[in-house]
Amino acid sequence: MLGTQWIVKTLKEKGVTTVFGYPGGQIMPLYDALYDGGIEHVLCRHEQGAAMAAIGYARATGKIGVCIATSGPGATNIITGLADALIDSVPIVAITGQVPNKLIGTDAFQEVDVLGLSLACTKHSYLIDQAENLPNILEEAFYLANSGRPGPILIDVPKDIQLADLNYQKYLSPITTQRNLTNTSKSNISPADIELAKTMISQAKKPMLYIGGGVGLSGAIDELRQFMNFTQIPSVSTLKGLGAADINNPYYLGLIGMHGSKAANLAVQECDLLIALGVRFDDRVTGNLNEFARHAKVIHIDIDQAEINKLKQTHLGLQGDIKNVLPLIHQTVTIDDWHNKIQELKNLYPTRYDHPGDPIYAPALLKILSERKSPTTIVTTDVGQHQMWTAQHMQFNDPKNFITSSGLGTMGFGLPAAIGAQLARPNDCVICISGDGSIMMNIQELTTIKRKKLPIKIVLIDNQRLGMVRQWQELFFNQRYSETNLSDNPDFLMLAKAFDIEGEKITKKSEIEPAITNMLNSPNAYLLHVCIDELENVWPLVPPGASNENMLDKKGNNK
């Protein structure tokens, strides 16, 4: 069979039912094989949209997302998506066309060194130079994408390889013999390490759980919640960790970091033991790293050995799968005074939704939406103020139900990610929360929603500004508002109507409840255009480089 037929055959064997892409010259042979290959192809209207739809598909299911692009500009357009998947540990396989092998290096039409470009933003990359290598590279790519710490894999397939007619089966070898691949999730934890962890937990007076995205990737949600309920150790979550914790646990404090709750940040700063679960000690979480949890001993559990001691020195690093490790360190603790302190912090710094006047207060709207949505609803976001408000004021019962660009902070992410999530879980409601800046980054994907008749709900929070940048200009650049005015954006309802998407615009608090009802009751795609004050900011905020206890509040005071 042809190389392209083998690719389609392999995709089906790996359980791939949907792929996202955009055709072009050097990938045409694969599109010819997809024509009647038995796999659903979703035509996104930009290759970046295809990559981010694949991310949404993967994050909503835990399965590998697949995107396809042609050579040159098609391949370069997926690079941002690959970078997003790498930093957020998302299993993606990207297949790109390439000029024939004999033309590589000649500056042929639409030739770009995609392998070189991808090295910084993939877990692994391949350029296939011999057709005989195609079967094993495909097997290895799917193995690597979702083993150990997941990540994106790129396979660059020259056109002559796609058209090579071979008996590919005879070149296929067992995955265990390829490159001597090892099980990257294998734990090297000794019994002594486990006992030390239990001792550290039992001796702690002020322990905290620091929950990251690795918990969801490990499938360790049940194990985490059992640990939380058994030990009653207070906990906080990173942006990508949201949804993993038991939100009904009385000692769960929510989001930590630059826009985390005051109670969460202050508790971590006071703790004497920090149990870090699948985290990166990212700067947006830690603030001044030297001051982060400065009184605490640190136990760091992570499947990726490279993350342990990378930024924060640990007292005990446990390299292994959180799902397997966490049940081993259950330990009874007596921390009544610490529990009282946690409750005191929650009482001192409650979330307030009282807001003067008639204008819509975005946090209050998102809280209402959170209460009204079903438990299985998937929420995607773009990046900016609306993203932080969503993280602060909406609640999720599973990380698969909150899909946001956490590490890379990619504007334009929310809409294509919602498309991937909706196709992955067609029976669940999908809501994309976006801003008037981000929505324009991949606005062309409204066509994909139209073509596929996807019932995606879009909540567009519009302050006619590039909100987060404007907020920083206000606070840290002497109110010099450079290039953040978006008041010349199009009429979003008219734009949506051009894509056969119904919607409505609201400007007052009294309109919130009926508008949410209209949106959630609509069987079709729907745009809820929410107008808010241009000067609304996200609070609290830890200034860059500051310690996490030095949060600015709405009045600009340190608390």
Side-chain angles (χ1 to χ4, degrees):
M1 63 175 63
L2 300 181
T4 54
Q5 293 171 322
W6 183 266
I7 292 172
V8 172
K9 175 179 179 292
T10 302
L11 292 176
K12 292 170 74 173
E13 289 174 349
K14 299 301 178 186
V16 176
T17 57
T18 303
V19 298
F20 305 86
Y22 201 95
Q26 302 301 336
I27 200 68
M28 273 195 227
L30 180 54
Y31 272 83
D32 186 66
L34 286 167
Y35 181 78
D36 54 4
I39 293 175
E40 178 187 27
H41 178 277
V42 178
L43 179 68
C44 296
R45 297 308 173 95
H46 191 287
E47 291 89 353
Q48 184 183 105
M52 292 176 182
I55 292 173
Y57 186 96
R59 288 185 58 175
T61 61
K63 299 177 182 177
I64 294 173
V66 177
C67 60
I68 301 172
T70 193
S71 64
T76 60
N77 280 342
I78 69 170
I79 291 294
T80 299
L82 296 177
D84 193 283
L86 180 69
I87 200 165
D88 279 349
S89 304
V90 185
I92 298 294
V93 170
I95 301 172
T96 52
Q98 183 55 278
V99 300
N101 271 291
K102 67 180 181 181
L103 294 181
I104 291 177
T106 69
D107 295 330
F109 177 67
Q110 292 191 333
E111 182 201 354
V112 170
D113 179 10
V114 181
L115 178 69
L117 283 172
S118 69
L119 292 177
C121 58
T122 56
K123 185 176 178 181
H124 200 73
S125 299
Y126 302 89
L127 170 62
I128 302 179
D129 57 359
Q130 296 180 24
E132 294 86 348
N133 294 334
L134 178 62
N136 287 338
I137 284 176
L138 286 169
E139 292 292 322
E140 187 172 312
F142 274 87
Y143 174 82
L144 290 174
N146 220 5
S147 67
R149 180 177 182 171
I153 311 295
L154 177 117
I155 311 173
D156 201 27
V157 191
K159 195 170 186 178
D160 56 315
I161 303 296
Q162 297 177 51
L163 294 171
D165 192 349
L166 292 178
N167 178 6
Y168 287 98
Q169 187 68 43
K170 76 175 186 178
Y171 297 105
L172 184 63
S173 58
I175 189 70
T176 53
T177 66
Q178 296 174 32
R179 297 174 182 257
N180 296 314
L181 290 174
T182 57
N183 182 356
T184 54
S185 63
K186 183 178 180 181
S187 174
N188 296 314
I189 301 171
S190 69
D193 289 335
I194 296 298
E195 288 306 311
L196 177 56
K198 293 171 74 172
T199 298
M200 292 172 69
I201 293 170
S202 67
Q203 292 177 349
K205 302 300 182 185
K206 301 177 180 180
M208 289 292 300
L209 285 174
Y210 166 27
I211 301 163
V215 174
L217 292 172
S218 173
I221 297 170
D222 288 343
E223 287 77 9
L224 169 67
R225 294 176 183 178
Q226 289 166 11
F227 186 88
M228 290 175 64
N229 292 328
F230 178 82
T231 65
Q232 292 298 310
I233 292 176
S235 56
V236 296
S237 286
T238 67
L239 182 61
K240 195 161 183 285
L242 292 173
D246 178 2
I247 57 177
N248 296 314
N249 185 290
Y251 307 113
Y252 175 62
L253 296 172
L255 186 69
I256 183 180
M258 179 173 280
H259 293 293
S261 73
K262 291 182 180 181
N265 281 334
L266 293 174
V268 170
Q269 291 302 95
E270 191 174 331
C271 76
D272 63 3
L273 176 66
L274 188 67
I275 305 171
L277 304 174
V279 301
R280 298 184 295 114
F281 288 92
D282 171 71
D283 60 292
R284 288 295 176 100
V285 168
T286 66
N288 184 326
L289 184 63
N290 292 329
E291 296 294 313
F292 180 67
R294 57 184 172 271
H295 305 298
K297 295 180 179 179
V298 177
I299 298 173
H300 189 177
I301 306 175
D302 204 290
I303 201 165
D304 187 356
Q305 182 64 47
E307 287 295 342
I308 298 174
N309 293 317
K310 183 178 82 172
L311 291 172
K312 183 77 171 177
Q313 289 298 303
T314 65
H315 297 78
L316 177 61
L318 302 176
Q319 188 266 321
D321 192 327
I322 296 168
K323 186 178 183 68
N324 299 330
V325 177
L326 203 53
L328 301 178
I329 61 171
H330 277 219
Q331 184 65 37
T332 302
V333 291
T334 303
I335 48 174
D336 292 343
D337 290 344
W338 183 229
H339 283 162
N340 292 335
K341 178 64 176 181
I342 296 298
Q343 290 295 345
E344 178 186 332
L345 288 172
K346 292 177 76 171
N347 293 335
L348 275 173
Y349 304 109
T351 303
R352 297 183 59 175
Y353 295 99
D354 50 322
H355 184 266
D358 291 331
I360 292 171
Y361 183 47
L365 178 142
L366 292 169
K367 180 178 184 291
I368 294 169
L369 180 60
S370 181
E371 293 168 348
R372 296 282 303 277
K373 70 178 176 63
S374 71
T376 60
T377 295
I378 302 168
V379 172
T380 72
T381 79
D382 273 295
V383 170
Q385 289 179 316
H386 68 274
Q387 178 192 32
M388 293 298 101
W389 283 325
T390 301
Q392 291 175 331
H393 304 290
M394 296 190 75
Q395 293 188 330
F396 306 96
N397 60 8
D398 192 310
K400 292 186 178 72
N401 294 340
F402 179 52
I403 302 174
T404 191
S405 177
S406 303
L408 196 63
T410 309
M411 292 178 68
F413 176 86
L415 195 59
I419 290 169
Q422 186 71 83
L423 286 160
R425 289 164 53 182
N427 296 323
D428 291 327
C429 178
V430 176
I431 302 172
C432 171
I433 299 173
S434 189
D436 52 312
S438 286
I439 192 74
M440 295 297 289
M441 291 280 188
N442 272 315
I443 194 71
Q444 77 285 339
E445 297 310 326
L446 292 177
T447 309
T448 310
I449 291 175
K450 175 184 176 181
R451 171 176 282 210
K452 301 299 292 185
K453 295 180 172 58
L454 301 175
I456 292 169
K457 318 305 180 193
I458 303 167
V459 178
L460 176 58
I461 298 178
D462 181 3
N463 57 8
Q464 299 192 14
R465 297 295 184 273
L466 195 57
M468 189 63 83
V469 179
R470 186 214 57 77
Q471 178 173 342
W472 280 48
Q473 288 173 341
E474 176 190 340
L475 297 174
F476 309 123
F477 290 89
N478 299 315
Q479 300 182 17
R480 291 162 59 88
Y481 299 121
S482 177
E483 300 303 322
T484 51
N485 188 320
L486 303 180
S487 58
D488 56 354
N489 265 336
D491 182 324
F492 287 111
L493 286 184
M494 185 180 295
L495 183 63
K497 187 176 180 180
F499 296 96
D500 296 335
I501 296 173
E502 58 185 324
E504 67 181 296
K505 178 178 179 178
I506 59 174
T507 60
K508 294 186 274 188
K509 291 174 181 172
S510 59
E511 299 170 323
I512 291 175
E513 288 274 9
I516 288 177
T517 297
N518 292 339
M519 179 182 72
L520 294 179
N521 287 344
S522 173
N524 305 311
Y526 198 96
L527 173 67
L528 178 57
H529 184 190
V530 181
C531 297
I532 66 168
D533 191 304
E534 67 188 64
L535 297 179
E536 287 290 353
N537 288 332
V538 181
W539 304 111
L541 182 148
V542 178
S547 177
N548 273 2
E549 66 260 37
N550 296 323
M551 292 166 277
L552 298 179
D553 65 12
K554 192 169 185 176
K555 297 179 182 179
N557 299 320
N558 287 77
K559 289 285 184 179

